[in-house]
Short mmCIF file of all heavy atoms in Angstrom, two decimals:
data_model
loop_
_atom_site.label_atom_id
_atom_site.label_comp_id
_atom_site.label_asym_id
_atom_site.label_seq_id
_atom_site.Cartn_x
_atom_site.Cartn_y
_atom_site.Cartn_z
N ALA A 130 -22.22 -13.52 -136.10
CA ALA A 130 -22.68 -12.88 -137.34
C ALA A 130 -23.97 -12.15 -137.00
O ALA A 130 -24.95 -12.77 -136.58
CB ALA A 130 -22.91 -13.92 -138.42
N TYR A 131 -23.96 -10.83 -137.14
CA TYR A 131 -25.16 -10.01 -136.95
C TYR A 131 -25.73 -9.75 -138.34
O TYR A 131 -25.01 -9.32 -139.23
CB TYR A 131 -24.81 -8.69 -136.27
CG TYR A 131 -24.28 -8.87 -134.88
CD1 TYR A 131 -22.91 -8.96 -134.64
CD2 TYR A 131 -25.14 -8.95 -133.78
CE1 TYR A 131 -22.41 -9.13 -133.36
CE2 TYR A 131 -24.66 -9.13 -132.50
CZ TYR A 131 -23.29 -9.22 -132.30
OH TYR A 131 -22.80 -9.40 -131.02
N TYR A 132 -27.02 -10.02 -138.52
CA TYR A 132 -27.62 -9.85 -139.84
C TYR A 132 -28.91 -9.05 -139.74
O TYR A 132 -29.58 -9.03 -138.71
CB TYR A 132 -27.87 -11.20 -140.51
CG TYR A 132 -28.75 -12.14 -139.74
CD1 TYR A 132 -30.13 -12.17 -139.97
CD2 TYR A 132 -28.22 -13.01 -138.79
CE1 TYR A 132 -30.95 -13.04 -139.27
CE2 TYR A 132 -29.04 -13.88 -138.09
CZ TYR A 132 -30.40 -13.88 -138.33
OH TYR A 132 -31.21 -14.74 -137.63
N LYS A 133 -29.20 -8.36 -140.84
CA LYS A 133 -30.48 -7.64 -140.96
C LYS A 133 -30.89 -7.69 -142.42
O LYS A 133 -30.05 -7.86 -143.31
CB LYS A 133 -30.34 -6.21 -140.44
CG LYS A 133 -29.25 -5.38 -141.07
CD LYS A 133 -29.09 -4.05 -140.37
CE LYS A 133 -27.97 -3.23 -140.99
NZ LYS A 133 -27.81 -1.93 -140.33
N TRP A 134 -32.18 -7.56 -142.65
CA TRP A 134 -32.68 -7.62 -144.01
C TRP A 134 -33.89 -6.69 -144.17
O TRP A 134 -34.51 -6.29 -143.20
CB TRP A 134 -33.07 -9.04 -144.40
CG TRP A 134 -34.31 -9.54 -143.72
CD1 TRP A 134 -35.59 -9.43 -144.18
CD2 TRP A 134 -34.40 -10.20 -142.46
NE1 TRP A 134 -36.48 -9.99 -143.28
CE2 TRP A 134 -35.76 -10.46 -142.21
CE3 TRP A 134 -33.45 -10.60 -141.52
CZ2 TRP A 134 -36.19 -11.10 -141.07
CZ3 TRP A 134 -33.90 -11.24 -140.38
CH2 TRP A 134 -35.24 -11.48 -140.16
N SER A 135 -34.18 -6.38 -145.43
CA SER A 135 -35.38 -5.60 -145.75
C SER A 135 -35.86 -6.00 -147.14
O SER A 135 -35.10 -6.51 -147.96
CB SER A 135 -35.08 -4.09 -145.70
OG SER A 135 -34.12 -3.75 -146.68
N GLY A 136 -37.15 -5.76 -147.37
CA GLY A 136 -37.74 -6.00 -148.69
C GLY A 136 -38.21 -7.41 -148.92
O GLY A 136 -38.46 -7.79 -150.07
N SER A 137 -38.36 -8.18 -147.88
CA SER A 137 -38.77 -9.56 -148.08
C SER A 137 -40.29 -9.70 -148.06
O SER A 137 -41.01 -8.72 -147.92
CB SER A 137 -38.13 -10.45 -147.01
OG SER A 137 -38.34 -11.81 -147.35
N GLY A 138 -40.73 -10.95 -148.17
CA GLY A 138 -42.16 -11.22 -148.26
C GLY A 138 -42.80 -11.52 -146.93
O GLY A 138 -42.23 -11.28 -145.88
N GLY A 139 -43.97 -12.09 -146.97
CA GLY A 139 -44.71 -12.41 -145.78
C GLY A 139 -45.12 -13.86 -145.70
O GLY A 139 -46.02 -14.21 -144.97
N THR A 140 -44.46 -14.73 -146.47
CA THR A 140 -44.84 -16.14 -146.48
C THR A 140 -43.63 -17.03 -146.73
O THR A 140 -42.64 -16.61 -147.32
CB THR A 140 -45.91 -16.43 -147.56
OG1 THR A 140 -46.29 -17.81 -147.48
CG2 THR A 140 -45.41 -16.13 -148.95
N ASP A 141 -43.74 -18.27 -146.28
CA ASP A 141 -42.70 -19.26 -146.53
C ASP A 141 -43.24 -20.39 -147.41
O ASP A 141 -42.63 -21.43 -147.53
CB ASP A 141 -42.16 -19.82 -145.20
CG ASP A 141 -40.86 -20.57 -145.39
OD1 ASP A 141 -39.99 -20.08 -146.13
OD2 ASP A 141 -40.70 -21.66 -144.80
N LEU A 142 -44.39 -20.16 -148.03
CA LEU A 142 -44.97 -21.17 -148.91
C LEU A 142 -44.21 -21.24 -150.23
O LEU A 142 -43.84 -20.22 -150.81
CB LEU A 142 -46.44 -20.85 -149.19
CG LEU A 142 -47.37 -20.87 -147.97
CD1 LEU A 142 -48.75 -20.38 -148.36
CD2 LEU A 142 -47.42 -22.27 -147.37
N ASP A 143 -43.99 -22.45 -150.69
CA ASP A 143 -43.27 -22.63 -151.96
C ASP A 143 -43.98 -21.88 -153.08
O ASP A 143 -45.20 -21.80 -153.11
CB ASP A 143 -43.19 -24.13 -152.28
CG ASP A 143 -42.17 -24.41 -153.38
OD1 ASP A 143 -41.27 -23.57 -153.59
OD2 ASP A 143 -42.27 -25.47 -154.01
N ASP A 144 -43.22 -21.32 -153.96
CA ASP A 144 -43.66 -20.50 -155.10
C ASP A 144 -44.16 -19.11 -154.69
O ASP A 144 -44.58 -18.35 -155.55
CB ASP A 144 -44.73 -21.21 -155.94
CG ASP A 144 -44.15 -22.38 -156.74
OD1 ASP A 144 -42.93 -22.37 -157.02
OD2 ASP A 144 -44.91 -23.29 -157.06
N ASN A 145 -44.12 -18.80 -153.41
CA ASN A 145 -44.49 -17.46 -152.94
C ASN A 145 -43.42 -16.85 -152.03
O ASN A 145 -43.58 -15.76 -151.55
CB ASN A 145 -45.81 -17.51 -152.15
CG ASN A 145 -46.97 -17.80 -153.07
OD1 ASN A 145 -47.08 -17.23 -154.15
ND2 ASN A 145 -47.84 -18.70 -152.65
N ARG A 146 -42.36 -17.58 -151.79
CA ARG A 146 -41.32 -17.10 -150.89
C ARG A 146 -40.16 -16.50 -151.68
O ARG A 146 -40.13 -16.57 -152.91
CB ARG A 146 -40.84 -18.23 -149.99
CG ARG A 146 -40.24 -19.40 -150.74
CD ARG A 146 -39.86 -20.51 -149.79
NE ARG A 146 -39.52 -21.73 -150.49
CZ ARG A 146 -39.84 -22.92 -150.07
NH1 ARG A 146 -40.53 -23.09 -148.95
NH2 ARG A 146 -39.50 -23.99 -150.75
N LYS A 147 -39.21 -15.94 -150.97
CA LYS A 147 -38.03 -15.34 -151.60
C LYS A 147 -36.89 -16.34 -151.74
O LYS A 147 -36.20 -16.35 -152.76
CB LYS A 147 -37.54 -14.14 -150.77
CG LYS A 147 -38.57 -13.03 -150.64
CD LYS A 147 -38.82 -12.37 -151.97
CE LYS A 147 -39.75 -11.18 -151.81
NZ LYS A 147 -39.78 -10.35 -152.99
N PHE A 148 -36.68 -17.16 -150.71
CA PHE A 148 -35.55 -18.10 -150.73
C PHE A 148 -36.01 -19.52 -150.42
O PHE A 148 -36.85 -19.74 -149.56
CB PHE A 148 -34.51 -17.70 -149.66
CG PHE A 148 -33.83 -16.39 -149.95
CD1 PHE A 148 -34.26 -15.23 -149.32
CD2 PHE A 148 -32.77 -16.31 -150.83
CE1 PHE A 148 -33.64 -14.01 -149.56
CE2 PHE A 148 -32.15 -15.11 -151.08
CZ PHE A 148 -32.58 -13.95 -150.45
N ASP A 149 -35.42 -20.48 -151.14
CA ASP A 149 -35.58 -21.89 -150.80
C ASP A 149 -34.56 -22.28 -149.73
O ASP A 149 -34.76 -23.25 -149.00
CB ASP A 149 -35.36 -22.78 -152.02
CG ASP A 149 -36.48 -22.64 -153.04
OD1 ASP A 149 -37.62 -22.40 -152.62
OD2 ASP A 149 -36.19 -22.76 -154.24
N ARG A 150 -33.47 -21.53 -149.65
CA ARG A 150 -32.41 -21.79 -148.67
C ARG A 150 -31.69 -20.49 -148.36
O ARG A 150 -31.42 -19.70 -149.27
CB ARG A 150 -31.42 -22.80 -149.26
CG ARG A 150 -30.26 -23.14 -148.37
CD ARG A 150 -29.36 -24.16 -149.05
NE ARG A 150 -28.26 -24.52 -148.19
CZ ARG A 150 -27.27 -25.29 -148.57
NH1 ARG A 150 -27.25 -25.80 -149.79
NH2 ARG A 150 -26.30 -25.57 -147.73
N PHE A 151 -31.39 -20.27 -147.08
CA PHE A 151 -30.55 -19.14 -146.68
C PHE A 151 -29.85 -19.55 -145.38
O PHE A 151 -30.37 -19.37 -144.29
CB PHE A 151 -31.37 -17.86 -146.46
CG PHE A 151 -30.54 -16.61 -146.58
CD1 PHE A 151 -30.52 -15.90 -147.78
CD2 PHE A 151 -29.77 -16.16 -145.52
CE1 PHE A 151 -29.75 -14.75 -147.90
CE2 PHE A 151 -29.00 -15.01 -145.63
CZ PHE A 151 -28.99 -14.30 -146.83
N ASP A 152 -28.67 -20.16 -145.53
CA ASP A 152 -27.88 -20.66 -144.41
C ASP A 152 -26.69 -19.74 -144.17
O ASP A 152 -25.88 -19.53 -145.07
CB ASP A 152 -27.36 -22.07 -144.68
CG ASP A 152 -28.47 -23.11 -144.73
OD1 ASP A 152 -29.53 -22.87 -144.12
OD2 ASP A 152 -28.28 -24.15 -145.38
N LEU A 153 -26.60 -19.23 -142.97
CA LEU A 153 -25.51 -18.35 -142.56
C LEU A 153 -24.54 -19.15 -141.70
O LEU A 153 -24.91 -19.64 -140.63
CB LEU A 153 -26.05 -17.15 -141.79
CG LEU A 153 -25.07 -16.21 -141.12
CD1 LEU A 153 -24.08 -15.64 -142.13
CD2 LEU A 153 -25.82 -15.09 -140.41
N GLN A 154 -23.31 -19.32 -142.18
CA GLN A 154 -22.29 -20.02 -141.41
C GLN A 154 -21.35 -19.00 -140.79
O GLN A 154 -20.87 -18.09 -141.48
CB GLN A 154 -21.47 -20.96 -142.30
CG GLN A 154 -20.40 -21.71 -141.51
CD GLN A 154 -19.37 -22.37 -142.39
OE1 GLN A 154 -18.89 -21.76 -143.34
NE2 GLN A 154 -19.02 -23.60 -142.08
N VAL A 155 -21.08 -19.14 -139.49
CA VAL A 155 -20.11 -18.30 -138.79
C VAL A 155 -19.01 -19.22 -138.26
O VAL A 155 -19.29 -20.33 -137.80
CB VAL A 155 -20.77 -17.45 -137.67
CG1 VAL A 155 -21.37 -18.33 -136.60
CG2 VAL A 155 -19.79 -16.46 -137.08
N ARG A 156 -17.75 -18.76 -138.35
CA ARG A 156 -16.63 -19.59 -137.95
C ARG A 156 -15.71 -18.83 -136.99
O ARG A 156 -15.47 -17.64 -137.17
CB ARG A 156 -15.81 -20.01 -139.17
CG ARG A 156 -16.57 -20.82 -140.18
CD ARG A 156 -15.69 -21.33 -141.30
NE ARG A 156 -15.09 -20.28 -142.10
CZ ARG A 156 -15.66 -19.71 -143.16
NH1 ARG A 156 -16.88 -20.07 -143.53
NH2 ARG A 156 -15.02 -18.79 -143.85
N VAL A 157 -15.19 -19.55 -136.01
CA VAL A 157 -14.13 -19.05 -135.14
C VAL A 157 -12.84 -19.58 -135.75
O VAL A 157 -12.66 -20.79 -135.86
CB VAL A 157 -14.27 -19.56 -133.69
CG1 VAL A 157 -13.13 -19.03 -132.83
CG2 VAL A 157 -15.62 -19.18 -133.10
N GLU A 158 -11.96 -18.66 -136.16
CA GLU A 158 -10.71 -19.07 -136.80
C GLU A 158 -9.50 -18.57 -136.01
O GLU A 158 -9.48 -17.44 -135.55
CB GLU A 158 -10.64 -18.55 -138.23
CG GLU A 158 -11.70 -19.14 -139.13
CD GLU A 158 -11.60 -18.72 -140.58
OE1 GLU A 158 -10.83 -17.79 -140.90
OE2 GLU A 158 -12.29 -19.33 -141.41
N GLN A 159 -8.52 -19.46 -135.88
CA GLN A 159 -7.25 -19.12 -135.24
C GLN A 159 -6.21 -18.97 -136.34
O GLN A 159 -6.16 -19.78 -137.27
CB GLN A 159 -6.84 -20.22 -134.27
CG GLN A 159 -5.58 -19.90 -133.49
CD GLN A 159 -5.21 -21.04 -132.55
OE1 GLN A 159 -5.32 -22.20 -132.90
NE2 GLN A 159 -4.78 -20.68 -131.34
N HIS A 160 -5.40 -17.90 -136.25
CA HIS A 160 -4.40 -17.67 -137.28
C HIS A 160 -3.04 -18.13 -136.80
O HIS A 160 -2.53 -17.66 -135.79
CB HIS A 160 -4.33 -16.19 -137.66
CG HIS A 160 -3.35 -15.93 -138.76
ND1 HIS A 160 -3.61 -16.26 -140.07
CD2 HIS A 160 -2.10 -15.44 -138.72
CE1 HIS A 160 -2.55 -15.94 -140.80
NE2 HIS A 160 -1.62 -15.45 -140.01
N ASP A 161 -2.46 -19.06 -137.52
CA ASP A 161 -1.10 -19.54 -137.27
C ASP A 161 -0.22 -18.97 -138.37
O ASP A 161 -0.50 -19.18 -139.55
CB ASP A 161 -1.08 -21.07 -137.30
CG ASP A 161 0.28 -21.63 -136.95
OD1 ASP A 161 1.29 -21.19 -137.54
OD2 ASP A 161 0.34 -22.52 -136.08
N PRO A 162 0.84 -18.23 -138.02
CA PRO A 162 1.67 -17.60 -139.05
C PRO A 162 2.30 -18.58 -140.04
O PRO A 162 2.60 -18.23 -141.17
CB PRO A 162 2.74 -16.85 -138.27
CG PRO A 162 2.55 -17.16 -136.84
CD PRO A 162 1.30 -17.94 -136.67
#
């Protein structure tokens, strides 16, 4: 998963940040017909 972002803040302090959580899950999936 390639990600990019813009417009965010400059701190991770509570009540001053943008997100409390941002988890990116990537999966390898095999397709069986």
Side-chain angles (χ1 to χ4, degrees):
Y131 296 93
Y132 58 92
K133 55 187 179 179
W134 72 90
S135 64
S137 190
T140 182
D141 195 43
L142 297 173
D143 194 22
D144 289 335
N145 290 316
R146 61 183 169 218
K147 299 293 185 167
F148 294 99
D149 290 328
R150 178 180 182 186
F151 203 98
D152 292 335
L153 172 57
Q154 180 194 45
V155 62
R156 299 185 297 273
V157 179
E158 295 185 348
Q159 184 181 41
H160 182 75
D161 184 310

